[in-house]
Structures are given as structure tokens and as C-alpha cells.
């Protein structure tokens, strides 16, 4: 070798190639050749600091914020269940659209459970007339 003091050896254990144009990883700050500079190629332990990707909702194509250390799939799933403005997501949320009319009850059912007497919609817990204090047989209520 004519110039042994030029260049640096690749830090990848399986490579160790002498490279005259070495590159420094911006995450772990080790030196690599062009074949091992990408995070996944040298199995960079510090890539989480720099390799930040924002998941995108497949339905509405909007970026979905998520916490580091949490799986992005969970954040996208929560977005689809709660905030997504696409038609399929809205349709999915409407499946449980039959809300109980009992005061204080927030339960929703897939199918409507309508009382025969008062014609109001209730959850399975309040479906019977005695469970929701039904006043459907009262002639004064029907006159209104």
C-alpha cells in the first residue's frame, strides 16, 4: 500500500474494508463504507434517534401522530376507529349507532332494540319495560 494513512476501515465487523471516502453514520457516529452506511445494513443500535417515519392512514392518506416505542400499527388503527374522515371508516363507526335512550346510559348496540310500548331504542340491559320505567301505555303521553 502506498498511502496506508489515508482512508478508514469500515466499522462493520463482517466487512472491515479500507475505504478512501468513508462515511460517518449520523446516529451511531461510526465509520462505514458505501455498502454499509444505511442504518439497516450495519444494524445501527441508535437509528431510532434519526430514522423517524410518520405512519400514514391508508384510508384518508393523512399522517398519524404516534408515540415513540409504540407500534405505528396501533396508532393507525386507533385513528381509523376514532378520527378518520374516510367513507369506510365512518361506515365502520356507524355499526354501533343504536344508542340507548335511557338517561345516563351510553351503551350502543349493533341492532336496534325498540320497546313495543314506548317505541324508544334501548340497550340490551334496558330493553324490558320494567328496566327503563316504560310509560308507553300512558294515554297522556300518546296525546302529546
Amino acid at each position: 500500500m502506498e498511502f496506508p494513512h489515508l482512508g478508514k476501515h469500515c466499522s462493520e465487523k463482517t466487512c472491515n474494508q479500507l475505504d478512501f471516502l468513508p462515511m460517518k453514520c449520523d446516529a451511531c457516529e461510526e465509520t462505514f463504507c458505501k455498502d454499509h452506511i444505511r442504518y439497516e445494513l450495519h444494524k445501527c443500535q441508535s437509528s431510532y434517534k434519526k430514522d423517524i417515519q410518520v405512519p400514514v392512514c391508508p384510508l384518508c392518506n393523512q399522517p398519524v401522530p404516534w408515540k415513540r416505542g409504540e407500534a405505528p400499527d396501533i396508532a393507525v388503527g386507533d385513528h381509523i376507529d376514532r378520527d378518520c374522515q374516510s367513507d369506510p371508516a365512518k361506515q365502520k363507526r356507524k355499526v354501533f349507532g343504536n344508542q340507548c335512550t335511557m338517561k345516563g346510559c351510553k351503551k350502543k348496540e349493533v341492532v336496534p332494540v325498540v320497546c313495543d310500548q314506548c317505541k324508544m331504542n334501548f340497550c340490551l340491559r334496558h330493553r324490558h319495560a320494567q328496566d327503563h320505567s316504560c310509560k308507553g301505555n300512558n294515554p297522556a303521553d300518546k296525546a302529546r
Side-chain angles (χ1 to χ4, degrees):
M1 287 209 144
E2 297 178 14
F3 303 104
H5 60 283
L6 293 179
K8 290 188 177 184
H9 288 278
C10 179
S11 296
E12 176 62 34
K13 294 171 183 72
T14 59
C15 181
N16 202 29
Q17 174 185 344
L18 179 62
D19 195 336
F20 293 106
L21 294 172
M23 292 175 258
K24 189 175 184 181
C25 175
D26 62 343
C28 66
E29 308 212 352
E30 291 189 42
T31 306
F32 295 97
C33 65
K34 65 177 176 59
D35 297 329
H36 296 107
I37 190 61
R38 291 189 13 224
Y39 299 134
E40 63 272 6
L41 295 176
H42 68 266
K43 299 174 186 76
C44 187
Q45 299 295 315
S46 302
S47 65
Y48 69 92
K49 296 176 186 175
K50 299 288 182 172
D51 191 20
I52 299 172
Q53 298 177 4
V54 177
V56 175
C57 176
L59 300 176
C60 67
N61 292 323
Q62 295 296 317
V64 179
W66 61 288
K67 298 174 188 166
R68 283 192 185 181
E70 177 183 299
D73 294 344
I74 294 171
V76 172
D78 287 345
H79 164 76
I80 290 171
D81 290 342
R82 293 190 185 105
D83 306 324
C84 189
Q85 297 302 312
S86 70
D87 290 337
K90 286 180 181 178
Q91 199 66 19
K92 181 183 174 191
R93 284 194 291 270
K94 286 183 181 179
V95 169
F96 288 96
N98 301 302
Q99 187 165 0
C100 181
T101 53
M102 180 75 170
K103 187 176 180 182
C105 183
K106 299 195 185 301
K107 190 104 167 141
K108 295 179 182 179
E109 299 294 337
V110 176
V111 294
V113 182
V114 179
C115 175
D116 292 337
Q117 297 172 9
C118 66
K119 307 296 185 217
M120 301 287 283
N121 189 52
F122 295 97
C123 67
L124 293 176
R125 184 176 183 188
H126 299 115
R127 70 183 181 266
H128 299 295
Q130 64 269 19
D131 293 334
H132 64 265
S133 304
C134 187
K135 295 179 173 78
N137 291 336
N138 188 350
D141 287 342
K142 289 183 182 178
R144 289 184 208 173

